[in-house]
Amino acid sequence: MLRLIFIVLFLILVGLFSIIALPIEWIVGKIKPEAKIKSSLAIVRVIFKIILFICGTKTTVIGLENIPKDEPVLFVGNHRGFFDIIISYSLMKRPTGYVAKKEIAKVPILKHWMLNLKCLFLDRENPKEGLKTILTGIDYLKNGTSVVIFPEGTRNEGDGVLEFHQGSFKLADKSGVKIIPMVSNNTAAVFENHFPLIRKAHTVLEFGQPIDIASMDKEDKKKIAKITHDIVLKMYENNQKLV
C-alpha cells in the first residue's frame, strides 16, 4: 500500500511539474523541434526510472547491443501490462514513439507528453483512421523516429504470446526499417496481477536480433507476422525461467 501512496504522490508532483514544463517544451518545439523531442524523451525517461525505483521493480535486460544506434527501427513486442512501456521507455536513447490505443489520448497531461514524443493513437475499430495512423508511423520511421508496436492488439492475460496482426508490420515493410523483437516477462506482477496494489517484482526485457524485412523475398514478407511471432514466443518461453 505504501508504494501505491508514494506513486500517487509522485504522479501529482509530475502533474504540477508538467504544468510548467509542457509550455516550455512547446516554445522549444517552435524554435527547434528536434530539441523538444530529445528533452521530452530525457524527462520521460527520468520520470519512468523514478517510478520503477519507487515500485521496487528490478529488470534483467538482455540484448541492448542489438538495437542499432544510428538508425530508426520498429520494435515489435508482446504486451503483458502497463510496465512493458515504463520499463522499455526508460531504456530508449533515440527518439521513439509508441503506438497506443486511442483511449489514452483522453488523458490530458499524458497525451501531451506522448505527442511530444511522436506517439501514435490507434483506432482499431475504424479502418480509415487506423490506416492514417499507420501512414503517420511510416513517415515517422522514414524521418528518424523509432516506433514501438504491440501487434497482439490487446494485453495478454494468459500464457504465451497471442497471434500478431499482419497490418502492424506495414510500418516496417513500407519504411524499410529493421524489426527488433522486444519481449517482456513478468511485468504484470508489478501491478495488474494484484490491482490496485503495487508490489516488488523481477522482470525480464530482451531485445532480439534485428530482422531485415527489406532483404526478404515476397513470400517471406507475407509471413512476417508469423515469423516475428515465433521468435518472440521462443524468447518469451526461454526467459520464463529467469523470473
Side-chain angles (χ1 to χ4, degrees), residues 3 7 48-59 83 87 189-190 198-203:
R3 287 191 179 88
I7 285 294
F48 282 174
K49 285 180 179 181
I50 293 173
I51 289 174
L52 293 171
F53 175 77
I54 295 171
C55 293
T57 306
K58 304 295 182 183
T59 300
F83 278 75
I87 293 168
V190 182
I198 293 172
R199 292 181 179 168
K200 291 176 65 175
H202 174 239
T203 71

Side-chain angles (χ1 to χ4, degrees), residues 60-211:
T60 297
V61 181
I62 305 169
L64 270 178
E65 68 278 4
N66 290 327
I67 304 174
K69 296 179 181 179
D70 55 355
E71 61 184 276
V73 297
L74 177 68
F75 293 96
V76 174
N78 64 322
H79 193 25
R80 309 296 302 185
F82 290 125
F83 278 75
D84 298 337
I85 299 165
I86 294 173
I87 293 168
S88 58
Y89 229 137
S90 71
L91 296 168
M92 296 299 171
K93 296 182 179 180
R94 286 180 53 86
T96 306
Y98 279 56
V99 179
K101 58 185 180 181
K102 65 173 185 177
E103 289 77 11
I104 301 296
K106 297 177 182 178
V107 184
I109 291 176
L110 178 60
K111 171 187 175 181
H112 290 295
W113 282 116
M114 292 178 73
L115 288 174
N116 281 1
L117 295 169
K118 293 192 175 182
C119 290
L120 299 155
F121 301 101
L122 182 62
D123 185 349
R124 296 185 184 276
E125 297 177 2
N126 187 328
K128 186 176 180 180
E129 291 302 314
L131 178 59
K132 287 182 182 178
T133 302
I134 294 297
L135 291 174
T136 300
I138 292 169
D139 185 58
Y140 285 172
L141 286 161
K142 286 182 176 179
N143 286 284
T145 298
S146 294
V147 172
V148 177
I149 193 165
F150 302 108
E152 291 170 292
T154 186
R155 185 173 72 85
N156 183 6
E157 299 179 22
D159 294 328
V161 179
L162 300 176
E163 182 180 352
F164 284 176
H165 296 290
Q166 181 72 24
S168 301
F169 293 85
K170 290 180 181 178
L171 287 160
D173 188 21
K174 300 301 182 182
S175 65
V177 303
K178 295 181 178 68
I179 297 167
I180 301 291
M182 186 179 79
V183 184
S184 298
N185 286 69
N186 206 41
T187 49
V190 182
F191 182 59
E192 284 83 1
N193 288 354
H194 32 74
F195 176 85
L197 298 179
I198 293 172
R199 292 181 179 168
K200 291 176 65 175
H202 174 239
T203 71
V204 179
L205 178 63
E206 181 172 5
F207 298 97
Q209 292 282 344
I211 302 170

Side-chain angles (χ1 to χ4, degrees), residues 5 16 39 115 133 162 166 196-197 224 229 233:
I5 293 171
L16 295 173
S39 60
L115 288 174
T133 302
L162 300 176
Q166 181 72 24
L197 298 179
I224 187 62
H229 172 274
L233 177 59

Side-chain angles (χ1 to χ4, degrees), residues 36-55:
K36 182 182 75 171
I37 296 173
K38 290 180 180 179
S39 60
S40 290
L41 177 60
I43 290 168
V44 169
R45 285 184 65 194
V46 169
I47 290 171
F48 282 174
K49 285 180 179 181
I50 293 173
I51 289 174
L52 293 171
F53 175 77
I54 295 171
C55 293

